[in-house]
Amino acid sequence: MKALTLPTVGEVCVKSVPEPKLLNPQDAIIKVAASAICGSDLHAYRGRIAHIAPGVPIGHEYVGVVTDVGAEVRRVKVGDRVTGSFFTACGQCWECRRGLFSQCPNSAMFGFGPDLGDLPGTQAEYARIPYADNTLIQIPDGVSDEAAIFVGDVLSTAYFAVERSNIKPGETGVVVGLGPVGLLAVELFFLMGAAQVAALDVVPERLQSARSRGAIPVLADASAVREIRALTGGRGADAVVEAVGSETGLALALQLVRGFGTVSSAGVYTERAVPVSMARLFAKDLTLKAGKANVPAVASTVMELLKHGRLHPEHLFTERMPLAEGPRGYQMFADRQALKILLVP
Ligand SMILES: [Zn+2]
Ligand SMILES: [Zn+2]
């Protein structure tokens, strides 16, 4: 089958690799209908994580149809249209039994190489899905593949971050960083009752996208703190979602939030150490949350929002291309010429 691989940093290739087979009785095989390129794929692309073996597929966002299941798979059936979490979770350990799937010690991430479980990725024609009953979610009729693919990572990540920001009806939410996660966080803040949402970025098109979703666009420069104070009677935001994953994004989020407020970080940090001002947290009685989205715990809620038409994440795709043009897609994505790219095998 055809798959995208990363033989050297910064160079994605299309390669012929063996089709995956069931390795464990809890596995399923899916025929991939589409995969997507994600901001976190760029961490591998730019060499920020251990090298992925040449010939191993990359990618972790996927939608497809189940073609084979192991003897112990119960909930998922051959022929099901599915999407799934970007990481696997066993469903049986101490953490999984308590719903803390993102902390499963048996977990692996698709397509991130030896650092993160050495599980082949999904930018390919077929993929093996470990712990299929727990990792996959069936797609209801009426939800398109292009919408459902967001459940596996981006939309669940935005939902998880907004839910943990403790936003209450009538409050002010702020989003720092308007990539796909940040733009969906704007919409989720409104769904969870925010009276106003301010959205920060430095790219004019992204600020415009936030405005079209009802947010107040704010240029993320030296005047941003003053602007947010002006919107909130001088207090600062009740809840801030940080969707950048950088030291400056986090520092700005901590400046924008009011006393006793929450900063909920959805950004992926690959640096070992990012300075956080504990003096600021202490002085302002802040809550700071960070973490990988607990996708299996929130996926069914998020899928309901799609099923009932409350969100349309498919509009975030700015490019659709054949899988074989993946190398060009990565180049465009890395150069910020596309917001989100769909790859169709
Ligand atoms: Zn992703
Ligand atoms: Zn587990």
Side-chain angles (χ1 to χ4, degrees):
M1 67 166 184
K2 265 201 222 71
L4 297 189
T5 63
L6 189 64
T8 47
V9 168
E11 194 196 343
V12 170
C13 286
V14 185
K15 233 188 135 184
S16 265
V17 302
E19 276 183 26
K21 296 198 169 22
L22 299 173
L23 295 182
N24 295 301
Q26 296 163 332
D27 288 353
I29 304 294
I30 65 165
K31 184 176 198 304
V32 177
S35 59
I37 304 177
C38 177
S40 57
D41 288 324
L42 294 182
H43 291 307
Y45 184 76
R46 292 184 170 136
R48 293 191 198 125
I49 58 171
H51 186 60
I52 301 167
V56 173
I58 56 173
H60 61 274
E61 298 183 2
Y62 56 97
V63 59
V65 174
V66 177
T67 57
D68 201 1
V69 295
E72 291 175 19
V73 175
R74 298 279 173 268
R75 199 177 56 76
V76 172
K77 307 269 187 287
V78 170
D80 283 355
R81 197 164 62 97
V82 291
T83 184
S85 170
F86 67 97
F87 62 87
T88 66
C90 77
Q92 283 136 34
C93 67
W94 188 95
E95 285 81 0
C96 284
R97 280 187 280 114
R98 285 158 182 79
L100 313 175
F101 304 107
S102 56
Q103 296 301 314
C104 172
N106 307 311
S107 174
M109 273 198 222
F110 291 96
F112 282 108
D115 270 359
L116 296 163
D118 226 357
L119 181 63
T122 61
Q123 286 163 358
E125 292 179 88
Y126 290 87
R128 180 177 71 89
I129 313 293
Y131 308 118
D133 277 339
N134 210 47
T135 306
L136 293 175
I137 177 165
Q138 279 112 337
I139 305 171
D141 291 345
V143 176
S144 70
D145 284 359
E146 289 195 14
I149 198 168
F150 283 90
V151 175
D153 181 1
V154 171
L155 181 52
S156 290
T157 293
Y159 181 89
F160 186 70
V162 172
E163 188 185 41
R164 299 209 314 163
S165 78
N166 279 324
I167 188 77
K168 304 275 189 308
E171 290 188 338
T172 296
V174 165
V175 178
V176 178
L178 301 174
V181 170
L183 289 172
L184 289 170
V186 166
E187 295 190 53
L188 286 159
F189 261 138
F190 282 123
L191 282 176
M192 293 190 197
Q196 62 175 351
V197 179
L200 281 74
D201 204 296
V202 291
V203 181
E205 297 78 30
R206 294 187 176 199
L207 289 167
Q208 186 51 43
S209 296
R211 186 202 298 270
S212 73
R213 288 166 168 82
I216 302 159
V218 174
L219 191 65
D221 65 10
S223 64
V225 176
R226 202 168 60 238
E227 284 207 43
I228 297 303
R229 293 223 172 104
L231 291 170
T232 54
R235 288 187 300 277
D238 302 292
V240 180
V241 165
E242 184 276 309
V244 183
S246 74
E247 184 182 334
T248 46
L250 183 60
L252 179 57
L254 290 170
Q255 280 183 280
L256 298 176
V257 71
R258 68 162 162 81
F260 275 98
T262 299
V263 170
S264 180
S265 176
V268 177
Y269 289 83
T270 47
E271 298 86 358
R272 289 242 171 262
V274 169
V276 172
S277 169
M278 284 308 295
R280 189 184 294 277
L281 260 74
F282 182 85
K284 290 174 76 176
D285 290 294
L286 297 183
T287 300
L288 173 59
K289 295 187 178 177
K292 184 170 67 176
N294 193 9
V295 179
V298 303
S300 59
T301 302
V302 164
M303 192 66 93
E304 284 294 306
L305 291 172
L306 298 184
K307 185 175 151 189
H308 296 285
R310 305 303 301 268
L311 292 166
H312 294 281
E314 65 275 19
H315 295 154
L316 292 168
F317 283 116
T318 50
E319 297 289 330
R320 296 163 176 83
M321 59 180 71
L323 181 69
E325 290 181 34
R328 180 172 70 88
Y330 267 87
Q331 190 71 59
M332 284 181 76
F333 195 66
D335 294 345
R336 289 192 136 206
Q337 289 167 14
L339 182 63
K340 191 75 182 166
I341 298 179
L342 190 76
L343 301 170
V344 181

